[in-house]
Amino acid sequence: MSAKPEVGLVREASRQILAGGSAGFIFDQVERLILCFTRTHQATGLVEICLMHPLDVVKTRFQIQRYATDPNSYKSLGDSFRMIFRTEGLFGFYKGILPPILAETPKRAVKFFTFEQYKKLLGYVSLSPALQPSTLGYARQIIKKEGLGLQGLNKGFTATLGRHGVFNMVYFGFYYNVKNIIPVSKDPNLEFLRKFGIGLLSGTIASVINIPFDVAKSRIQGPQPVPGEIKYRTCFKTMATVYREEGILALYKGLLPKIMRLGPGGAVMLLVYEYTYSWLQENW
């Protein structure tokens, strides 16, 4: 048999981008969806975002409440869902949904493409309110009032950078190293479960490690305790202030809904990427 010709850089990059852009689909009936997506290689995370965005809203609400005596304090995960639904209705769970819809698919595509390129470059070594009236309208208001800088539209940039950087470092590093340690199964179903379990653990561990950055981001970008006075300015100072005033557990507020989303979400995203990428390698 003749050797398979080398794939050009553009085609290889296209495969990785298509596979990465596909990696944000719904968690229900995962295996059937993966088979479907690897045939059609469509790229959209819209359904996953619409299903899971309420958990992001609940997580952020937990993170911006400061004390148990806060009038907006939630007693539990169930209590937060009940209060939001009772006071804001169903649309209360979808506040701020447009930006993630616009950002998720290209973000995931770039994330996987960049990871593949760095892996090749560096050499891979195994280790043991309701719906927003207008997003652009809010952006214009922020720019007009506070500008484009780190105290305006880019407020919380350092915390956001830390949140994503730490998450992806742990997420990709753990998955791709542990995957090589646990033996591959010849049974397709067991192999699927092996990859899903490692991905689930990767997303969960990464969420636990990076959540202090998430809390800092929510405090910096959210309403300040005293109107007109900025208390939370920078990432690490915010973490220190929260720790000093509220204790270490305050840096882990919203952890449960975060894990509920990014644990299985991390597993599905990597599975869809791998199955889609494998299909593209064989067929394109």
Side-chain angles (χ1 to χ4, degrees), residues 65-169:
Q65 66 183 26
R66 300 181 64 236
Y67 302 106
T69 54
D70 188 325
N72 296 317
S73 176
Y74 303 114
K75 298 179 178 64
S76 66
L77 186 63
D79 180 57
S80 65
F81 275 98
R82 284 192 295 271
M83 284 187 65
I84 293 172
F85 183 75
R86 186 169 64 247
T87 58
E88 303 172 51
L90 182 62
F91 288 152
F93 293 107
Y94 290 92
K95 287 185 174 179
I97 194 172
L98 183 57
I101 286 176
L102 296 176
E104 281 304 302
T105 296
K107 183 192 79 175
R108 286 165 179 164
V110 171
K111 179 192 293 186
F112 280 99
F113 171 68
T114 303
F115 173 75
E116 292 290 346
Q117 299 313 306
Y118 273 114
K119 193 167 70 174
K120 290 178 182 178
L121 179 65
L122 300 176
Y124 181 69
V125 180
S126 294
L127 302 176
S128 351
L131 282 174
Q132 310 287 11
S134 167
T135 299
L136 291 177
Y138 276 110
R140 281 195 293 267
Q141 288 179 25
I142 294 171
I143 294 170
K144 183 178 180 180
K145 184 178 179 181
E146 300 173 354
L148 287 166
L150 295 178
Q151 296 304 317
L153 194 62
N154 288 294
K155 184 185 290 185
F157 174 78
T158 305
T160 302
L161 193 64
R163 181 182 74 164
H164 289 297
V166 169
F167 183 91
N168 288 322
M169 178 180 67

Side-chain angles (χ1 to χ4, degrees), residues 236-256:
F236 291 105
K237 280 190 176 181
T238 297
M239 287 185 192
T241 300
V242 172
Y243 172 73
R244 186 173 62 252
E245 295 183 352
E246 304 172 49
I248 186 68
L249 292 180
L251 291 172
Y252 291 86
K253 286 184 175 180
L255 180 60
L256 180 58

